[in-house]
Coordinates of all heavy atoms in Angstrom, one line a residue:
M1 N 10.7 -19.7 -16.7 CA 9.3 -19.5 -16.3 C 9.0 -18.1 -15.8 O 9.9 -17.5 -15.1 CB 9.0 -20.5 -15.1 CG 7.6 -20.7 -14.8 SD 7.4 -22.1 -13.6 CE 6.5 -21.2 -12.3
T2 N 8.0 -17.5 -16.2 CA 7.7 -16.1 -15.9 C 7.1 -16.1 -14.5 O 6.2 -16.9 -14.1 CB 6.6 -15.5 -16.9 OG1 7.0 -15.9 -18.2 CG2 6.6 -14.0 -16.7
Q3 N 7.6 -15.2 -13.7 CA 7.0 -15.1 -12.3 C 5.8 -14.1 -12.3 O 5.8 -13.1 -13.0 CB 8.1 -14.5 -11.4 CG 8.4 -15.5 -10.3 CD 9.6 -15.1 -9.5 OE1 10.3 -14.2 -9.9 NE2 9.9 -15.8 -8.5
A4 N 4.8 -14.5 -11.6 CA 3.6 -13.7 -11.5 C 3.9 -12.4 -10.7 O 4.8 -12.4 -10.0 CB 2.5 -14.5 -10.9
I5 N 3.0 -11.5 -10.9 CA 3.1 -10.3 -10.1 C 2.2 -10.5 -8.9 O 1.1 -11.1 -9.0 CB 2.5 -9.1 -10.9 CG1 3.4 -8.7 -12.0 CG2 2.4 -7.8 -10.0 CD1 3.0 -7.5 -12.8
Q6 N 2.7 -10.1 -7.7 CA 1.9 -10.2 -6.5 C 1.0 -9.0 -6.5 O 1.4 -7.9 -6.7 CB 2.8 -10.2 -5.3 CG 3.9 -11.2 -5.2 CD 4.7 -11.0 -4.0 OE1 4.4 -11.6 -3.0 NE2 5.8 -10.3 -4.1
K7 N -0.3 -9.2 -6.2 CA -1.2 -8.1 -6.2 C -2.0 -8.1 -4.9 O -2.4 -9.2 -4.4 CB -2.2 -8.2 -7.3 CG -1.6 -8.0 -8.7 CD -2.6 -8.0 -9.8 CE -1.9 -7.8 -11.1 NZ -2.9 -7.7 -12.3
A8 N -2.1 -6.9 -4.3 CA -2.9 -6.8 -3.1 C -3.8 -5.6 -3.2 O -3.4 -4.5 -3.7 CB -1.9 -6.6 -1.9
A9 N -5.1 -5.8 -2.8 CA -6.0 -4.7 -2.9 C -6.3 -4.2 -1.5 O -6.5 -5.0 -0.5 CB -7.3 -5.2 -3.5
I10 N -6.3 -2.9 -1.3 CA -6.5 -2.3 0.0 C -7.6 -1.3 -0.1 O -7.6 -0.4 -0.9 CB -5.2 -1.5 0.4 CG1 -4.0 -2.5 0.5 CG2 -5.4 -0.8 1.8 CD1 -2.8 -2.0 0.0
Q11 N -8.6 -1.6 0.7 CA -9.7 -0.7 0.8 C -9.5 0.5 1.8 O -9.0 0.2 2.9 CB -11.0 -1.4 1.2 CG -12.3 -0.6 1.0 CD -13.5 -1.3 1.5 OE1 -13.5 -2.5 1.7 NE2 -14.5 -0.6 1.8
V12 N -9.7 1.7 1.4 CA -9.5 2.8 2.2 C -10.8 3.5 2.6 O -11.5 4.1 1.8 CB -8.6 3.9 1.4 CG1 -8.3 5.1 2.3 CG2 -7.3 3.2 0.9
A13 N -11.2 3.2 3.9 CA -12.4 3.7 4.4 C -12.3 3.9 5.9 O -12.4 3.0 6.7 CB -13.6 2.8 4.1
G14 N -11.9 5.1 6.3 CA -11.7 5.4 7.7 C -10.5 4.6 8.2 O -10.3 4.5 9.4
G15 N -9.6 4.2 7.3 CA -8.4 3.4 7.7 C -8.1 2.5 6.5 O -8.7 2.7 5.4
Y16 N -7.2 1.6 6.7 CA -6.8 0.7 5.6 C -7.2 -0.7 5.9 O -7.0 -1.2 7.0 CB -5.3 0.7 5.4 CG -4.7 2.1 5.1 CD1 -4.1 2.9 6.0 CD2 -5.0 2.7 3.8 CE1 -3.6 4.1 5.7 CE2 -4.5 3.9 3.5 CZ -3.8 4.7 4.5 OH -3.4 5.9 4.1
N17 N -7.8 -1.3 5.0 CA -8.3 -2.7 5.1 C -7.8 -3.6 3.9 O -8.3 -3.3 2.8 CB -9.8 -2.7 5.3 CG -10.3 -4.1 5.5 OD1 -9.6 -5.0 6.1 ND2 -11.5 -4.4 5.1
P18 N -6.9 -4.5 4.1 CA -6.3 -4.9 5.4 C -5.2 -3.9 5.8 O -4.8 -3.1 4.9 CB -5.6 -6.2 5.1 CG -5.3 -6.2 3.6 CD -6.4 -5.4 3.0
E19 N -4.8 -3.9 7.0 CA -3.8 -3.0 7.5 C -2.4 -3.5 7.3 O -1.4 -2.8 7.4 CB -4.0 -2.7 9.0 CG -5.1 -1.7 9.3 CD -5.1 -1.4 10.8 OE1 -4.8 -2.3 11.6 OE2 -5.4 -0.3 11.2
M20 N -2.3 -4.8 7.1 CA -1.0 -5.5 6.9 C -1.1 -6.4 5.6 O -2.0 -7.2 5.5 CB -0.7 -6.3 8.1 CG 0.7 -6.8 8.1 SD 1.2 -7.6 9.6 CE 1.3 -9.2 9.1
I21 N -0.1 -6.2 4.8 CA 0.0 -6.9 3.5 C 1.3 -7.7 3.6 O 2.4 -7.1 3.8 CB -0.1 -6.0 2.3 CG1 -1.5 -5.3 2.2 CG2 0.1 -6.8 1.0 CD1 -1.4 -3.9 2.6
T22 N 1.3 -9.0 3.4 CA 2.5 -9.8 3.4 C 2.8 -10.2 1.9 O 2.0 -10.7 1.2 CB 2.3 -11.0 4.2 OG1 1.9 -10.6 5.5 CG2 3.6 -11.8 4.4
L23 N 4.1 -9.9 1.5 CA 4.5 -10.2 0.2 C 5.8 -10.9 0.2 O 6.5 -11.0 1.2 CB 4.7 -8.9 -0.6 CG 3.5 -8.0 -0.8 CD1 3.9 -6.6 -1.3 CD2 2.5 -8.6 -1.7
K24 N 6.1 -11.5 -0.9 CA 7.4 -12.3 -1.0 C 8.5 -11.5 -1.6 O 8.2 -10.8 -2.6 CB 7.1 -13.6 -1.9 CG 7.8 -14.8 -1.5 CD 7.3 -16.0 -2.2 CE 8.4 -17.0 -2.4 NZ 9.2 -17.3 -1.3
Q25 N 9.6 -11.7 -1.1 CA 10.8 -10.9 -1.6 C 11.1 -11.3 -3.0 O 11.0 -12.5 -3.4 CB 12.0 -11.2 -0.7 CG 13.3 -10.5 -1.1 CD 14.5 -10.9 -0.3 OE1 14.6 -12.0 0.1 NE2 15.4 -10.0 -0.2
G26 N 11.5 -10.3 -3.8 CA 12.0 -10.6 -5.2 C 10.9 -10.8 -6.3 O 11.3 -11.0 -7.4
V27 N 9.7 -10.8 -5.9 CA 8.6 -11.0 -6.9 C 7.9 -9.6 -7.0 O 7.5 -9.0 -6.0 CB 7.5 -12.0 -6.4 CG1 6.4 -12.2 -7.4 CG2 8.2 -13.3 -6.1
P28 N 7.8 -9.1 -8.3 CA 7.2 -7.7 -8.4 C 5.8 -7.6 -7.8 O 5.1 -8.6 -7.8 CB 7.0 -7.7 -10.0 CG 8.1 -8.6 -10.5 CD 8.2 -9.7 -9.5
A29 N 5.6 -6.5 -7.2 CA 4.4 -6.4 -6.4 C 3.6 -5.1 -6.7 O 4.2 -4.0 -7.0 CB 4.7 -6.4 -4.9
E30 N 2.3 -5.2 -6.7 CA 1.5 -4.1 -7.1 C 0.4 -4.0 -6.0 O -0.3 -4.9 -5.7 CB 0.8 -4.4 -8.5 CG -0.1 -3.3 -9.0 CD -0.7 -3.8 -10.3 OE1 -0.1 -3.7 -11.3 OE2 -1.9 -4.3 -10.2
L31 N 0.3 -2.8 -5.4 CA -0.8 -2.5 -4.5 C -1.9 -1.7 -5.2 O -1.5 -0.8 -6.0 CB -0.3 -1.7 -3.3 CG 0.9 -2.2 -2.5 CD1 1.3 -1.3 -1.4 CD2 0.7 -3.6 -2.0
T32 N -3.1 -2.0 -4.9 CA -4.2 -1.2 -5.4 C -5.0 -0.6 -4.3 O -5.6 -1.3 -3.5 CB -5.1 -2.0 -6.3 OG1 -4.3 -2.5 -7.4 CG2 -6.2 -1.1 -6.9
F33 N -5.0 0.7 -4.1 CA -5.7 1.4 -3.1 C -7.0 1.9 -3.7 O -7.0 2.6 -4.7 CB -4.9 2.6 -2.6 CG -3.7 2.2 -1.8 CD1 -2.5 2.1 -2.4 CD2 -3.8 2.0 -0.4 CE1 -1.3 1.8 -1.7 CE2 -2.6 1.7 0.3 CZ -1.4 1.6 -0.3
T34 N -8.1 1.6 -3.1 CA -9.4 2.1 -3.5 C -10.1 2.8 -2.3 O -10.4 2.2 -1.3 CB -10.3 1.0 -4.1 OG1 -9.6 0.3 -5.1 CG2 -11.6 1.7 -4.7
R35 N -10.3 4.1 -2.4 CA -10.9 4.9 -1.4 C -12.4 4.8 -1.6 O -12.9 5.3 -2.6 CB -10.4 6.3 -1.4 CG -10.9 7.2 -0.3 CD -10.0 8.4 -0.2 NE -10.7 9.5 0.4 CZ -11.1 10.6 -0.1 NH1 -10.8 10.9 -1.4 NH2 -11.7 11.5 0.6
T36 N -13.1 4.2 -0.6 CA -14.6 4.0 -0.8 C -15.4 4.9 0.2 O -16.6 4.7 0.3 CB -14.9 2.5 -0.6 OG1 -14.4 2.1 0.7 CG2 -14.3 1.7 -1.7
S37 N -14.7 5.7 1.0 CA -15.4 6.6 1.9 C -14.7 7.9 2.0 O -13.5 7.9 1.9 CB -15.4 5.9 3.3 OG -15.8 6.8 4.3
D38 N -15.4 9.0 2.2 CA -14.8 10.3 2.3 C -14.5 10.6 3.8 O -14.1 11.7 4.1 CB -15.6 11.4 1.6 CG -17.0 11.5 2.2 OD1 -17.3 10.8 3.2 OD2 -17.7 12.4 1.7
Q39 N -14.7 9.6 4.6 CA -14.4 9.7 6.0 C -12.9 9.9 6.3 O -12.1 9.3 5.6 CB -14.8 8.4 6.7 CG -15.1 8.4 8.2 CD -15.3 7.0 8.7 OE1 -15.8 6.2 8.0 NE2 -15.0 6.8 9.9
G40 N -12.6 10.8 7.2 CA -11.1 11.0 7.6 C -10.3 11.7 6.5 O -10.9 12.3 5.5
C41 N -9.0 11.7 6.7 CA -8.2 12.5 5.8 C -7.3 11.6 5.0 O -6.1 11.6 5.0 CB -7.3 13.4 6.7 SG -6.5 12.5 8.0
L42 N -8.0 10.6 4.3 CA -7.3 9.6 3.6 C -7.2 9.8 2.1 O -7.0 8.8 1.4 CB -8.0 8.2 4.0 CG -7.8 7.8 5.4 CD1 -9.1 7.2 6.0 CD2 -6.7 6.8 5.6
D43 N -7.2 11.0 1.7 CA -7.2 11.3 0.3 C -5.8 11.3 -0.3 O -5.6 11.4 -1.5 CB -7.8 12.7 0.0 CG -7.2 13.8 0.8 OD1 -6.8 13.6 1.9 OD2 -7.2 14.9 0.3
V44 N -4.8 11.1 0.6 CA -3.4 10.9 0.1 C -2.9 9.6 0.8 O -3.1 9.5 2.0 CB -2.5 12.1 0.4 CG1 -1.0 11.8 0.1 CG2 -2.9 13.3 -0.4
V45 N -2.2 8.8 0.1 CA -1.5 7.7 0.8 C 0.0 7.8 0.3 O 0.3 8.1 -0.8 CB -2.1 6.3 0.4 CG1 -2.0 6.0 -1.1 CG2 -1.3 5.2 1.2
H46 N 0.9 7.7 1.3 CA 2.3 7.8 1.0 C 3.2 6.9 1.8 O 2.7 6.4 2.9 CB 2.8 9.3 1.0 CG 2.9 9.8 2.4 ND1 3.8 10.7 2.7 CD2 2.2 9.5 3.6 CE1 3.7 11.0 4.0 NE2 2.8 10.3 4.5
S47 N 4.3 6.6 1.3 CA 5.3 5.8 2.0 C 6.7 6.3 1.7 O 7.1 6.3 0.5 CB 5.2 4.4 1.7 OG 6.2 3.6 2.2
T48 N 7.4 6.7 2.7 CA 8.8 7.1 2.4 C 9.7 5.9 2.1 O 10.5 5.9 1.2 CB 9.4 7.9 3.7 OG1 8.5 8.9 4.0 CG2 10.7 8.5 3.4
S49 N 9.5 4.8 2.9 CA 10.3 3.7 2.7 C 10.0 2.9 1.4 O 10.9 2.3 0.9 CB 10.2 2.7 3.9 OG 8.8 2.4 4.2
L50 N 8.8 3.0 0.9 CA 8.5 2.3 -0.3 C 8.6 3.3 -1.5 O 8.5 2.9 -2.7 CB 7.1 1.7 -0.3 CG 7.0 0.5 0.7 CD1 5.5 0.1 0.9 CD2 7.8 -0.7 0.3
G51 N 8.7 4.6 -1.2 CA 8.9 5.6 -2.3 C 7.7 5.9 -3.1 O 7.8 5.9 -4.4
F52 N 6.5 6.1 -2.5 CA 5.4 6.5 -3.3 C 4.5 7.5 -2.6 O 4.6 7.6 -1.4 CB 4.6 5.3 -3.8 CG 3.8 4.6 -2.8 CD1 2.5 5.1 -2.3 CD2 4.3 3.4 -2.2 CE1 1.8 4.4 -1.3 CE2 3.6 2.7 -1.2 CZ 2.3 3.2 -0.8
E53 N 3.8 8.3 -3.4 CA 2.8 9.2 -2.8 C 1.7 9.3 -3.9 O 2.0 9.6 -5.1 CB 3.4 10.6 -2.6 CG 2.3 11.6 -2.2 CD 2.8 12.7 -1.3 OE1 3.9 12.6 -0.7 OE2 2.1 13.8 -1.3
K54 N 0.5 9.0 -3.5 CA -0.7 9.0 -4.5 C -1.9 9.7 -3.9 O -2.2 9.6 -2.7 CB -1.1 7.5 -4.7 CG 0.0 6.7 -5.5 CD 0.0 7.0 -6.9 CE 1.1 6.2 -7.6 NZ 1.3 6.6 -9.0
D55 N -2.5 10.4 -4.8 CA -3.8 11.0 -4.4 C -4.9 9.9 -4.7 O -4.8 9.2 -5.7 CB -4.1 12.2 -5.4 CG -3.3 13.4 -5.0 OD1 -3.0 13.6 -3.8 OD2 -2.9 14.1 -6.0
L56 N -5.8 9.8 -3.7 CA -6.9 8.8 -3.9 C -8.2 9.5 -4.1 O -8.8 10.0 -3.2 CB -6.9 7.9 -2.6 CG -5.6 7.1 -2.2 CD1 -5.8 6.4 -0.9 CD2 -5.3 6.2 -3.4
T57 N -8.6 9.5 -5.3 CA -9.9 10.0 -5.7 C -11.0 9.0 -5.3 O -10.8 7.8 -5.5 CB -10.0 10.3 -7.2 OG1 -8.9 11.2 -7.5 CG2 -11.3 11.0 -7.6
L58 N -12.0 9.4 -4.7 CA -13.1 8.6 -4.2 C -13.5 7.6 -5.3 O -13.9 8.1 -6.4 CB -14.2 9.4 -3.7 CG -15.2 8.8 -2.7 CD1 -14.5 8.3 -1.4 CD2 -16.3 9.8 -2.3
G59 N -13.5 6.3 -5.0 CA -14.0 5.3 -6.0 C -13.1 5.0 -7.2 O -13.5 4.2 -8.0
V60 N -11.9 5.6 -7.2 CA -11.0 5.3 -8.3 C -9.8 4.5 -7.9 O -9.0 5.0 -7.1 CB -10.5 6.6 -9.0 CG1 -9.6 6.3 -10.2 CG2 -11.7 7.5 -9.5
P61 N -9.7 3.2 -8.3 CA -8.6 2.4 -7.8 C -7.3 3.1 -8.3 O -7.1 3.5 -9.4 CB -8.8 1.1 -8.6 CG -10.2 1.1 -8.9 CD -10.6 2.5 -9.1
Q62 N -6.3 3.1 -7.4 CA -5.0 3.7 -7.7 C -3.9 2.6 -7.5 O -3.8 2.1 -6.4 CB -4.8 4.9 -6.7 CG -3.5 5.6 -6.9 CD -3.5 6.4 -8.2 OE1 -2.8 6.1 -9.1 NE2 -4.3 7.5 -8.3
M63 N -3.2 2.3 -8.6 CA -2.2 1.2 -8.5 C -0.8 1.8 -8.2 O -0.4 2.8 -8.7 CB -2.2 0.4 -9.8 CG -3.3 -0.6 -9.8 SD -3.4 -1.4 -11.4 CE -4.8 -0.6 -12.0
V64 N -0.1 1.1 -7.4 CA 1.3 1.4 -7.1 C 2.2 0.2 -7.2 O 1.9 -0.8 -6.6 CB 1.4 2.0 -5.6 CG1 2.8 2.5 -5.3 CG2 0.4 3.0 -5.3
N65 N 3.3 0.3 -7.9 CA 4.3 -0.8 -7.9 C 5.3 -0.5 -6.8 O 5.8 0.6 -6.7 CB 4.9 -0.9 -9.3 CG 4.0 -1.3 -10.3 OD1 3.4 -2.4 -10.2 ND2 3.7 -0.5 -11.3
I66 N 5.6 -1.5 -6.0 CA 6.5 -1.3 -4.9 C 7.7 -2.2 -5.0 O 7.6 -3.3 -5.6 CB 5.8 -1.4 -3.5 CG1 5.2 -2.8 -3.4 CG2 4.7 -0.4 -3.3 CD1 4.9 -3.2 -2.0
P67 N 8.8 -1.8 -4.5 CA 10.0 -2.6 -4.6 C 9.9 -3.8 -3.6 O 9.3 -3.6 -2.5 CB 11.2 -1.7 -4.2 CG 10.5 -0.6 -3.4 CD 9.1 -0.5 -3.9
T68 N 10.4 -4.9 -4.0 CA 10.4 -6.1 -3.0 C 11.8 -6.7 -2.9 O 11.9 -7.9 -2.5 CB 9.4 -7.2 -3.6 OG1 9.8 -7.6 -4.9 CG2 8.0 -6.7 -3.6
D69 N 12.8 -5.9 -3.2 CA 14.1 -6.5 -3.1 C 14.6 -6.6 -1.7 O 15.5 -7.4 -1.4 CB 15.1 -5.6 -3.9 CG 14.9 -4.1 -3.6 OD1 13.8 -3.6 -3.6 OD2 16.0 -3.4 -3.4
Q70 N 14.1 -5.9 -0.7 CA 14.5 -6.0 0.7 C 13.4 -6.6 1.6 O 12.3 -6.2 1.5 CB 14.9 -4.6 1.2 CG 16.2 -4.2 0.7 CD 16.7 -2.8 1.3 OE1 16.2 -2.5 2.3 NE2 17.6 -2.2 0.6
V71 N 13.9 -7.5 2.4 CA 13.0 -8.1 3.4 C 12.8 -7.1 4.5 O 13.7 -6.3 4.9 CB 13.6 -9.4 4.0 CG1 12.9 -9.9 5.2 CG2 13.6 -10.5 2.9
G72 N 11.6 -7.0 5.1 CA 11.4 -6.1 6.2 C 10.0 -5.6 6.3 O 9.1 -6.1 5.6
E73 N 9.7 -4.6 7.2 CA 8.4 -4.0 7.4 C 8.4 -2.6 6.9 O 9.3 -1.8 7.3 CB 8.0 -4.1 8.8 CG 7.9 -5.5 9.4 CD 7.2 -5.6 10.7 OE1 6.9 -4.5 11.3 OE2 7.0 -6.7 11.2
F74 N 7.5 -2.2 6.1 CA 7.5 -0.9 5.5 C 6.1 -0.3 5.7 O 5.1 -0.8 5.4 CB 7.8 -1.0 4.0 CG 9.1 -1.8 3.7 CD1 9.1 -3.1 3.4 CD2 10.3 -1.1 3.7 CE1 10.2 -3.8 3.2 CE2 11.5 -1.7 3.4 CZ 11.5 -3.1 3.2
D75 N 6.2 0.9 6.3 CA 5.0 1.6 6.7 C 4.4 2.4 5.5 O 5.2 3.0 4.7 CB 5.4 2.6 7.8 CG 4.4 2.6 8.9 OD1 4.0 1.4 9.3 OD2 4.0 3.6 9.4
F76 N 3.1 2.5 5.4 CA 2.5 3.6 4.6 C 1.4 4.3 5.4 O 1.0 3.7 6.4 CB 1.9 3.0 3.3 CG 0.9 1.9 3.4 CD1 -0.5 2.3 3.6 CD2 1.2 0.6 3.3 CE1 -1.4 1.3 3.7 CE2 0.2 -0.4 3.5 CZ -1.1 -0.1 3.7
S77 N 1.1 5.5 5.0 CA 0.2 6.2 5.9 C -0.6 7.3 5.1 O -0.3 7.5 3.9 CB 0.9 6.9 7.0 OG 1.8 7.8 6.5
C78 N -1.6 7.9 5.7 CA -2.3 9.0 5.1 C -1.4 10.2 5.1 O -0.3 10.2 5.7 CB -3.6 9.3 5.9 SG -3.3 10.1 7.5
G79 N -1.8 11.2 4.4 CA -1.0 12.4 4.2 C -0.5 13.1 5.5 O 0.5 13.8 5.5
M80 N -1.3 12.9 6.6 CA -0.9 13.5 7.8 C -0.4 12.5 8.8 O -0.2 12.8 10.0 CB -2.2 14.2 8.4 CG -2.7 15.3 7.5 SD -4.4 15.7 7.9 CE -4.2 16.7 9.4
D81 N 0.0 11.3 8.3 CA 0.6 10.3 9.2 C -0.3 9.9 10.4 O 0.2 9.6 11.5 CB 2.0 10.7 9.6 CG 3.0 10.8 8.5 OD1 2.8 10.1 7.5 OD2 3.9 11.6 8.5
M82 N -1.6 9.9 10.2 CA -2.5 9.5 11.3 C -2.9 8.1 11.1 O -3.0 7.3 12.1 CB -3.7 10.4 11.3 CG -3.4 11.8 11.6 SD -4.6 13.0 11.0 CE -6.1 12.3 11.7
F83 N -3.2 7.7 9.9 CA -3.6 6.3 9.7 C -2.5 5.5 9.0 O -1.8 6.1 8.1 CB -4.8 6.2 8.7 CG -6.1 6.9 9.3 CD1 -6.4 8.2 9.1 CD2 -6.9 6.1 10.2 CE1 -7.5 8.8 9.6 CE2 -8.0 6.7 10.8 CZ -8.3 8.0 10.5
H84 N -2.2 4.3 9.5 CA -1.1 3.6 9.1 C -1.5 2.2 8.6 O -2.4 1.5 9.1 CB -0.1 3.4 10.2 CG 0.5 4.7 10.6 ND1 1.7 5.2 10.1 CD2 0.1 5.7 11.5 CE1 2.0 6.4 10.6 NE2 1.0 6.7 11.5
G85 N -0.7 1.7 7.6 CA -0.7 0.4 7.2 C 0.7 -0.1 7.0 O 1.6 0.7 7.1
K86 N 0.8 -1.4 6.7 CA 2.2 -2.0 6.7 C 2.3 -3.0 5.6 O 1.4 -3.8 5.4 CB 2.4 -2.6 8.1 CG 3.8 -2.9 8.4 CD 4.0 -3.9 9.6 CE 3.5 -3.3 10.9 NZ 3.7 -4.3 12.0
V87 N 3.4 -3.0 5.0 CA 3.8 -4.0 4.0 C 4.9 -4.8 4.6 O 5.9 -4.3 5.0 CB 4.2 -3.5 2.6 CG1 4.8 -4.5 1.7 CG2 3.1 -2.7 2.0
V88 N 4.7 -6.1 4.7 CA 5.8 -7.0 5.3 C 6.3 -7.8 4.1 O 5.5 -8.5 3.4 CB 5.2 -8.0 6.4 CG1 6.3 -8.9 6.9 CG2 4.6 -7.1 7.5
I89 N 7.6 -7.7 3.9 CA 8.2 -8.5 2.8 C 9.1 -9.6 3.4 O 9.9 -9.3 4.2 CB 9.0 -7.6 1.8 CG1 8.0 -6.6 1.2 CG2 9.7 -8.4 0.8 CD1 8.7 -5.5 0.3
E90 N 8.7 -10.8 3.0 CA 9.4 -12.0 3.6 C 10.2 -12.8 2.5 O 9.9 -12.7 1.3 CB 8.3 -13.0 4.1 CG 7.5 -12.4 5.3 CD 6.4 -13.3 5.7 OE1 6.0 -14.2 5.0 OE2 6.0 -13.2 6.9
K91 N 11.1 -13.6 3.0 CA 11.9 -14.4 2.1 C 11.0 -15.5 1.5 O 10.1 -16.0 2.2 CB 13.0 -15.1 2.9 CG 14.2 -14.1 2.9 CD 15.5 -14.9 3.3 CE 16.6 -14.0 3.3 NZ 17.8 -14.5 3.9
Ligands
CU1 CU1 -4.5 11.7 8.0

């Protein structure tokens, strides 16, 4: 049986909405960031623990595939580490 991809959409407008995304361990996951406001310094989203850095052009959805092999809490933030969101990977 083919396992589905977990998908989560995050709106970026003066912060991240939702701020917390819960995913299941071992199932491929894709986050989509869409920046809908030019408020704040949210034109870059990055995560050291999840291993990505993306430029967010206003109104253009940006997809990121993230690893789900480890259970835990993984932070992502804006380029200046002022705004934070979190990915929680559960068993
Ligand atoms: Cu910032």
Side-chain angles (χ1 to χ4, degrees):
M1 200 170 122
T2 314
Q3 237 169 357
I5 294 182
Q6 307 179 85
K7 292 186 181 182
I10 300 139
Q11 189 184 343
V12 183
Y16 300 106
N17 183 28
E19 281 187 327
M20 189 172 110
I21 297 105
T22 305
L23 299 168
K24 214 170 151 44
Q25 183 186 25
V27 181
E30 179 185 278
L31 306 180
T32 302
F33 291 92
T34 306
R35 186 166 157 244
T36 57
S37 163
D38 61 3
Q39 203 185 329
C41 51
L42 292 139
D43 55 328
V44 172
V45 60
H46 73 147
S47 171
T48 307
S49 53
L50 295 170
F52 68 82
E53 172 155 340
K54 294 283 177 186
D55 289 324
L56 300 178
T57 305
L58 202 58
V60 180
Q62 183 69 253
M63 276 171 259
V64 185
N65 291 299
I66 60 163
T68 57
D69 48 313
Q70 282 183 23
V71 168
E73 295 191 359
F74 305 92
D75 227 45
F76 59 84
S77 65
C78 73
M80 296 161 79
D81 294 329
M82 292 156 57
F83 295 96
H84 293 267
K86 197 196 294 183
V87 172
V88 178
I89 298 176
E90 297 178 336
K91 273 194 181 172

